[in-house]
Amino acid sequence: MAKELVLYFSVYGTSKIVAEEIAKQTGADIREIEPVIPYDSNRDHYNALTRLAKKEHDEDQRPAIKNRIDITAYDRIYLGYPMWWYTFPMIIYTLLEQYDFSGKTIIPFNTHMGSKDGGTYKTIRELAPGARVLEGLPVEMRDAENNPEKAVENWLKSLN
């Protein structure tokens, strides 16, 4: 039996909700990707977060990851994140560039406000060439916050 990990990044908690549902339905371990410099999780400051996300993207920054996550024992890794500027947050680039996913199966999922996966599943394939990348699950933000159980269940069934 493959050992599974749900690995996610979330600022407003939306991707965390989906990550927790995946872990609940699969029995996988779950770990959060924590940045060294935390992002402001107050939704009233959304515009400031979008400006910061755009700056990181435009400057091709690689925010540092605070917590070292040992992925060596895992065969299947569900990788979750929100969409920022039609791609994943730059900290996901940090993760994919610093960790060796060779021989692992990556199963992406993301939350969005209309951009679906924005081509990020293809980008994961490019950044983790030694990994097998399965079809991901894009979940619209409002759906993620309001009972994503059925969407997760249907997606997990489609993977088998």
Side-chain angles (χ1 to χ4, degrees):
M1 180 88 149
K3 186 150 170 129
E4 298 181 324
L5 173 67
V6 178
L7 184 58
Y8 72 94
F9 172 73
S10 188
V11 173
Y12 292 146
T14 309
S15 296
K16 179 180 181 178
I17 292 168
V18 179
E20 289 173 340
E21 185 60 34
I22 292 168
K24 178 181 164 190
Q25 290 190 30
T26 62
D29 294 340
I30 186 168
R31 294 287 307 274
E32 181 177 6
I33 301 163
E34 299 175 45
V36 168
I37 300 170
Y39 294 89
D40 185 347
S41 62
N42 183 334
R43 287 190 186 202
D44 291 337
H45 304 154
Y46 175 79
N47 289 335
L49 179 62
T50 61
R51 283 192 301 275
L52 176 59
K54 183 160 179 27
K55 181 180 188 301
E56 286 180 354
H57 180 267
D58 291 351
E59 295 176 4
D60 203 26
Q61 294 181 16
R62 297 297 187 268
I65 297 172
K66 176 177 153 183
N67 54 326
R68 181 76 191 149
I69 302 159
D70 185 2
I71 64 168
T72 56
Y74 298 97
D75 305 302
R76 293 169 58 108
I77 299 172
Y78 297 89
L79 178 59
Y81 48 87
M83 293 297 293
W84 287 4
W85 289 101
Y86 306 99
T87 189
F88 39 65
M90 299 308 288
I91 197 166
I92 300 299
Y93 282 95
T94 304
L95 177 85
L96 292 169
E97 291 169 357
Q98 290 183 354
Y99 286 70
D100 182 6
F101 289 90
S102 297
K104 307 217 179 282
T105 299
I106 300 174
I107 311 163
F109 65 95
N110 67 284
T111 55
H112 65 91
M113 292 182 5
S115 60
K116 302 232 184 237
D117 76 290
T120 58
Y121 306 159
K122 179 178 182 270
T123 303
I124 292 169
R125 285 182 184 94
E126 293 166 359
L127 294 174
R132 179 174 172 231
V133 181
L134 301 185
E135 189 57 38
L137 174 67
V139 182
E140 190 145 7
M141 190 171 159
R142 77 177 86 95
D143 295 333
E145 293 176 340
N146 295 297
N147 304 318
E149 295 89 355
K150 199 64 174 167
V152 168
E153 180 183 343
N154 291 339
W155 173 63
L156 289 171
K157 283 179 184 173
S158 77
L159 295 176
N160 294 329

